[in-house]
Amino acid sequence: METSNCQLLEIFGINVFNDALMRERLPKDVYKRFQEVRKGNAELTLVLADVIANAMKDWAMEKGATHYCHWFQPMTGLTAEKHDSFISPTPEGRTIMEFSGKELIKGEPDASSFPSGGLRATFEARGYTAWDCSSSVFIKNRTLYIPCAFCSYNGQALDKKTPLLRSMEALNRQAVRLLKALGNTAVSRVTATLGPEQEYFLIDRRFFEKRLDLVLAGRTLFGAPSPRGQEMEDHYFGTLHDRIAAFMHEVNTELWKLGVSAKTQHNEVAPAQYELAPVFATVNVATDHNQLTMETLQKVAQRHGFVCLLHEKPFVGVNGSGKHNNWSMVTDTGVNLLDPGQTPHDNMVFLVFLCAVVRAVDKYAKLLRASVANPGNEHRLGANEAPPAIVSIFLGEQLTEIFEQLAAGGAPTSRQGGELRLGTSLLPPLPKDCTDRNRTSPFAFTGNKFEFRMVGSSQSCAGPAFVLNTIVADVLGEIADVLEKSKDVKAEAQKLLQKIASEHRRIVFNGDNYSADWVKEAARRGLPNIASTVESIETILEPENVAVFERNRVLSRVELEARVEILMENYIRTIHIEAATTLHIAKRQILPACQMYAGKLAASVSSVESVGVKSSSLVKQLEKVCGLIDELNGAIGKLEEKMKEVSGVSSSHEKARRTREEILPAMGSVRKAADALEMLVDAQMWPLPTYAEMLFLR
Ligand code: ADP
Ligand code: MG
C-alpha cells in the first residue's frame, strides 16, 4: 500500500477521537467541562460521561466499529482487552446501538485471571477498569478502544497504569509547589514527558518457525556464533533493505492512523536489529503509544513474512535490545524544566530541577535498577553487555563543571570577590548540543532531557517512568519544604544546591561505563551494582523504598509486596519455561541429529577400513563427536535434576534465587555442549536454523 505525502497528513490520527473531534462533536459546555476534567480540575460526572460516550459511539459507528473495549495494562506487562458490542435490546423487543457513560468510565473484568501477587486471595476476585480520560480513545479492528487503569475491588492497583497516573499527580503536586516557592506563580500544572526509542529484531518467519526456543521463549537457547557477527560495524544506520523499508512504511502508516507520531527509524548496531522512535508525549500517553507500537511491529512483521523479536537478548554474542526512555518535565506554560534556557531566572529553575533529579537518582538508584529488572534484561545489564547494572549519571563536561562549582560552593564567590548568585555568573546559556554524547551511560543528560537507557526492549514504559516520577517528586517536595519556610529563597536555594552537589557527586560519571575500571571505581564510590534480577527485585521492599512510594501516595506497602511477588513468580516461570524448552530441543532435536551423524561417521570409518585404509582423522572426529554427545547427555541429566530440586522449593524468593543460581548455569552447560556439536555436525543434518541464517538472510 502506497501512501503519498498528502495522504500522510490525512491519515494521521484518523482513528483517534482526539481533541479536535471532541470540540466539533460535543456541546460547547460539555467540551469545556471535560477539558477541566482532563486538567485534573474537576470530576467526571455520569451526566457528562453519558454525553461523551454517545458522541464517541456515533463517531465509532460511522467508522464501522461494532464493539468497544476497556484496554488496560495488567502486571503481565502486556495489554488486555475485553470486547462488548454496542448492541442493546429494548423492552419492546427491538435492538438499538447504545453506549452509556457508565460503560465508558467503568468496566468489571475478573481480576482473578491476572497476576495479583496475593492481593486477589486477600481481597476479592472482582476488579475494575477505569477510563484514563487523559489518553484518547481510538478505533482498531472495528472496536472502540478505551485506555484504562485496572484495580482490585478495594482499589489496589493491579496494573502498570494506576501507579503511573498517581506518580504524575505526585510530580505535579511537588513541582508546582517548588516553582511557587521559587517565585513562579504562573504555572498551575507540570507533567512528565516521555519519548521511548524502541529497539527490535526482525527475522524471517521461515527460520522462526523452526526454532522452538524463539517460539516459546522469545530468545535463542542454542546457537553457535555466526562466522560473521557485528564486527564490520556496517549495519548501524546502514541502507535500509527494500523488504525492511516496506515493513517500516506499513508500521508507520498503521501507527500514524492511531495518532502515534512515529518519527525516527534506522538500522541498529546488530545485524537484523532496528529502532523506531516517536515524538515525545505526556508520559501516560507515550506509554499507551509504546504498547501500540510494540503490538503493531509484531503484527505488521507477520504480514511481511517476518517475526519481530522484542526480547532483550534474542542472540548471544550480538547486541541486545533496549528501550531508551527520554524523560523530562514540562509546565502548562510551555517551559521544559530541564532546558537550561537563556535567562538567569530560568537557569536557576533549571539548576534546582537538575539537581533534584541527580539527588533522586543517587538516593534511589536501587529502585531505578529494580524498575528495569526482568529475566530478559538480566542478559544485558551487567552481563555480557552494557549498560552495566550500576546506575550513574552522565552530565557532560559543561554541566559537570557547573556541578563541581556548586559543590565547592565558596570558590567562585571568593574569586569574584562577591556573592555567588545562581544563574548570573554561573551558567552560560547552554546551546542544545554543547555536550558530547555518551552512549554508554545508563542515565544521560542529553541537552534538555534525561535518557534512561537501562530499560528493556520488551518492558512497559510505565514501571521505569513511575519510579522516576515518584523519586523526583519526592526530592522536589523536600526542596520545596525548605524553600517555603525560607525568608531568603535565593540564598537558601544556593545552600541546598551546594549540599546536593557535594553529597551526590559520586553518581556523576562521564567516562566509559562499559569498562572494567568503572566497575571498580563505582565500588569505591559506594554505588550499588546489582547484576541479579532476583536480588534487585528484593530491594524494592527496603524501608526507604517503601517509604518513598507511600509518602507520595503512589503505591502502598501491600501493593508493593504484591508487585514483588508477581515479579518473582514471573522470573521463576520464565526461566522454567526456558529450561523445559532447552531440554525439549536438546533431547528431541539435537541429540538425535548428533547420534545420526555419529552413526554416519562410524559407517564411514568401517567402510574405509573395509578397503584396507586407516583414517585416524575420521576416528578422531568420531571420538570428538561421541565425547560431546556424552557431555550433552550429562548436562541434560544435571538440568533435569536441578529442575526437580528447585520446583520443590516453596518460598518464591528462595525458588527465584535458586533458579538463577542453579538452573540458569545448568542450561548454560547444555547449550555449551550443543553449540560445540553444531560446529562439528554435518550442516545438512543440523535441526535448527543457524545464527548466520537468522541474522543475515532476509
Ligand atoms: P537519539 O539521538 O537519542 O537516538 P532519537 O531522536 O532517536 O535520539 O530519540 C530521542 C527521543 O527523545 C525522541 O523520542 C524525542 O521525541 C524525545 N524527546 C525529545 N525531547 C524530549 C523531552 N523534552 N521529553 C521527553 N522526550 C523528549
Ligand atoms: Mg536513538
Side-chain angles (χ1 to χ4, degrees):
M1 174 195 24
E2 276 305 308
T3 322
S4 73
N5 289 343
C6 6
Q7 269 175 323
L8 194 162
L9 284 177
E10 276 167 32
I11 62 168
F12 190 84
I14 196 170
N15 291 337
V16 183
F17 196 67
N18 57 20
D19 195 59
L21 272 177
M22 288 211 184
R23 192 195 298 262
E24 190 186 305
R25 289 181 170 244
L26 293 176
K28 227 184 201 145
D29 64 311
V30 171
Y31 173 76
K32 265 199 184 144
R33 269 157 58 205
F34 183 59
Q35 288 309 306
E36 289 308 303
V37 173
R38 277 192 147 174
K39 283 186 207 149
N41 299 336
E43 290 250 316
L44 183 65
T45 63
L46 213 49
V47 181
L48 198 63
D50 270 330
V51 182
I52 298 170
N54 202 46
M56 281 176 178
K57 180 209 69 187
D58 288 346
W59 170 76
M61 283 179 54
E62 281 165 32
K63 298 194 74 75
T66 54
H67 286 67
Y68 69 91
C69 83
H70 276 205
W71 183 63
F72 56 103
Q73 303 174 17
M75 291 298 293
T76 53
L78 307 169
T79 58
E81 50 195 70
K82 179 179 148 232
H83 298 211
D84 280 288
S85 77
F86 292 126
I87 285 179
S88 161
T90 67
E92 304 83 53
R94 286 186 309 124
T95 299
I96 55 165
M97 299 303 238
E98 217 175 30
F99 183 47
S100 69
K102 196 167 151 251
E103 287 167 315
L104 166 64
I105 59 181
K106 187 175 142 205
E108 285 191 34
D110 179 3
S112 61
S113 310
F114 296 99
S116 76
L119 285 179
R120 180 192 70 211
T122 327
F123 301 95
E124 292 208 38
R126 197 190 283 269
Y128 296 116
T129 49
W131 179 31
D132 166 15
C133 69
S134 56
S135 184
S136 297
V137 302
F138 57 91
I139 292 176
K140 209 174 53 139
N141 301 333
R142 294 176 170 266
T143 301
L144 179 71
Y145 277 71
I146 305 160
C148 283
F150 177 44
C151 63
S152 77
Y153 182 61
N154 283 15
Q156 270 112 355
L158 289 176
D159 68 344
K160 308 248 172 189
K161 193 64 166 300
T162 307
L164 180 62
L165 295 174
R166 290 178 186 160
S167 75
M168 288 167 70
E169 268 320 300
L171 189 74
N172 171 52
R173 236 178 359 249
Q174 304 302 353
V176 170
R177 257 186 79 206
L178 179 54
L179 285 170
K180 276 215 172 83
L182 285 167
N184 183 336
T185 50
V187 172
S188 57
R189 193 154 189 90
V190 171
T191 43
T193 51
L194 183 73
E197 302 165 48
Q198 176 73 50
E199 293 179 342
Y200 60 93
F201 280 87
L202 280 182
I203 65 161
D204 195 290
R205 209 191 146 118
R206 69 204 141 115
F207 300 132
F208 174 83
E209 281 166 357
K210 293 200 184 106
R211 301 269 331 200
L212 204 62
D213 46 4
L214 285 179
V215 174
L216 298 182
R219 74 177 179 105
T220 55
L221 299 166
F222 296 95
S226 163
R228 174 180 178 155
Q230 62 190 50
E231 61 278 64
M232 298 301 286
E233 301 184 324
D234 55 355
H235 194 254
Y236 189 58
F237 281 19
T239 315
L240 288 182
H241 190 283
D242 285 350
R243 217 179 134 195
I244 303 293
F247 158 82
M248 286 181 172
H249 176 71
E250 197 176 329
V251 167
N252 290 332
T253 308
E254 292 285 311
L255 288 176
W256 290 333
K257 283 188 200 160
L258 293 169
V260 180
S261 54
K263 174 145 176 92
T264 310
Q265 60 191 29
H266 57 79
N267 284 359
E268 253 304 321
V269 170
Q273 192 186 31
Y274 309 91
E275 182 185 293
L276 184 155
V279 177
F280 70 94
T282 305
V283 62
N284 62 323
V285 174
T287 298
D288 287 356
H289 283 181
N290 182 252
Q291 292 286 0
L292 288 174
T293 301
M294 293 195 285
E295 188 188 305
T296 304
L297 285 169
Q298 284 169 312
K299 268 198 194 150
V300 175
Q302 295 259 347
R303 297 208 278 266
H304 286 250
F306 288 120
V307 171
C308 171
L309 304 178
L310 290 170
H311 193 281
E312 283 76 12
K313 193 75 178 174
F315 305 98
V316 166
V318 281
N319 269 25
S321 297
K323 176 138 52 197
H324 299 171
N325 279 13
N326 294 273
W327 177 93
S328 189
M329 294 162 278
V330 69
T331 67
D332 57 352
T333 52
V335 177
N336 175 357
L337 292 167
L338 292 178
D339 192 331
Q342 303 288 334
T343 63
H345 174 74
D346 284 341
N347 282 353
M348 146 95 119
V349 168
F350 163 71
L351 275 186
V352 172
F353 278 82
L354 178 87
C355 286
V357 176
V358 172
R359 174 165 164 81
V361 171
D362 188 25
K363 216 173 148 190
Y364 299 104
K366 286 188 192 167
L367 267 188
L368 267 185
R369 163 68 184 96
S371 78
V372 298
N374 78 6
N377 225 7
E378 190 165 66
H379 301 289
R380 295 174 68 228
L381 308 176
N384 319 318
E385 187 192 326
I390 308 161
V391 176
S392 68
I393 299 180
F394 170 83
L395 283 184
E397 233 171 80
Q398 195 162 5
L399 275 190
T400 304
E401 225 167 74
I402 289 158
F403 198 72
E404 287 297 323
Q405 281 179 40
L406 281 177
T413 318
S414 53
R415 221 184 18 235
Q416 290 167 8
E419 193 193 1
L420 170 75
R421 275 189 312 265
L422 280 176
T424 47
S425 58
L426 206 49
L427 187 61
L430 207 56
K432 216 173 150 186
D433 295 329
C434 72
T435 55
D436 195 5
R437 286 292 185 119
N438 183 327
R439 289 180 51 92
T440 70
S441 176
F443 201 88
F445 185 74
T446 49
N448 59 358
K449 60 183 159 56
F450 278 100
E451 184 173 348
F452 185 28
R453 302 175 71 251
M454 289 167 104
V455 185
S457 47
S458 73
Q459 275 193 287
S460 157
C461 297
F466 80 65
V467 168
L468 195 50
N469 289 347
T470 306
I471 61 179
V472 172
D474 195 67
V475 175
L476 295 177
E478 267 178 19
I479 301 175
D481 285 345
V482 178
L483 295 189
E484 275 172 354
K485 284 189 215 112
S486 154
K487 290 209 182 70
D488 186 347
V489 171
K490 281 208 167 153
E492 194 66 50
Q494 193 176 316
K495 234 168 59 196
L496 267 177
L497 291 184
Q498 178 184 351
K499 192 162 165 265
I500 291 178
S502 54
E503 208 176 312
H504 300 290
R505 281 167 68 188
R506 63 172 194 166
I507 193 90
V508 177
F509 179 65
N510 295 326
D512 181 2
N513 285 258
Y514 297 1
S515 74
D517 283 350
W518 169 232
V519 177
K520 281 188 224 142
E521 166 67 15
R524 258 198 305 278
R525 294 187 189 188
L527 299 176
N529 179 1
I530 308 171
S532 150
T533 298
V534 177
E535 245 177 78
S536 173
I537 294 168
E538 281 171 343
T539 66
I540 295 172
L541 293 177
E542 287 176 3
E544 61 275 25
N545 292 341
V546 175
V548 74
F549 279 122
E550 291 206 311
R551 203 160 45 235
N552 291 280
R553 304 201 288 272
V554 173
L555 286 169
S556 67
R557 166 177 285 282
V558 176
E559 287 172 321
L560 283 166
E561 282 169 351
R563 259 153 223 270
V564 165
E565 209 49 46
I566 291 168
L567 291 169
M568 287 296 181
E569 277 299 329
N570 175 263
Y571 185 84
I572 296 165
R573 285 177 194 161
T574 305
I575 308 296
H576 282 246
I577 288 171
E578 288 185 357
T581 309
T582 297
L583 287 173
H584 189 100
I585 295 174
K587 285 161 70 173
R588 303 191 51 206
Q589 291 186 278
I590 294 178
L591 259 183
C594 296
Q595 284 155 350
M596 206 147 52
Y597 179 59
K600 190 173 145 190
L601 277 177
S604 302
V605 171
S606 50
S607 60
V608 166
E609 277 175 1
S610 72
V611 293
V613 180
K614 265 206 159 10
S615 166
S616 61
S617 68
L618 251 184
V619 173
K620 252 192 210 140
Q621 170 86 345
L622 179 59
E623 281 170 358
K624 224 170 166 182
V625 169
C626 289
L628 281 169
I629 289 176
D630 288 348
E631 192 186 318
L632 181 58
N633 256 319
I636 288 170
K638 276 240 172 69
L639 177 56
E640 282 174 331
E641 218 173 89
K642 284 284 168 211
M643 282 180 71
K644 219 192 230 151
E645 268 176 50
V646 175
S647 57
V649 178
S650 56
S651 141
S652 63
H653 289 233
E654 177 63 14
K655 196 168 179 174
R657 267 176 188 274
R658 290 192 56 186
T659 295
R660 182 177 193 273
E661 282 155 24
E662 297 172 32
I663 293 185
L664 264 186
M667 283 164 58
S669 306
V670 175
R671 175 173 188 152
K672 190 169 153 256
D675 289 358
L677 280 160
E678 186 186 336
M679 307 288 274
L680 292 177
V681 171
D682 181 348
Q684 303 291 326
M685 298 175 112
W686 195 253
L688 305 173
T690 64
Y691 266 37
E693 287 168 322
M694 288 186 285
L695 291 169
F696 289 93
L697 292 185
R698 63 181 75 87

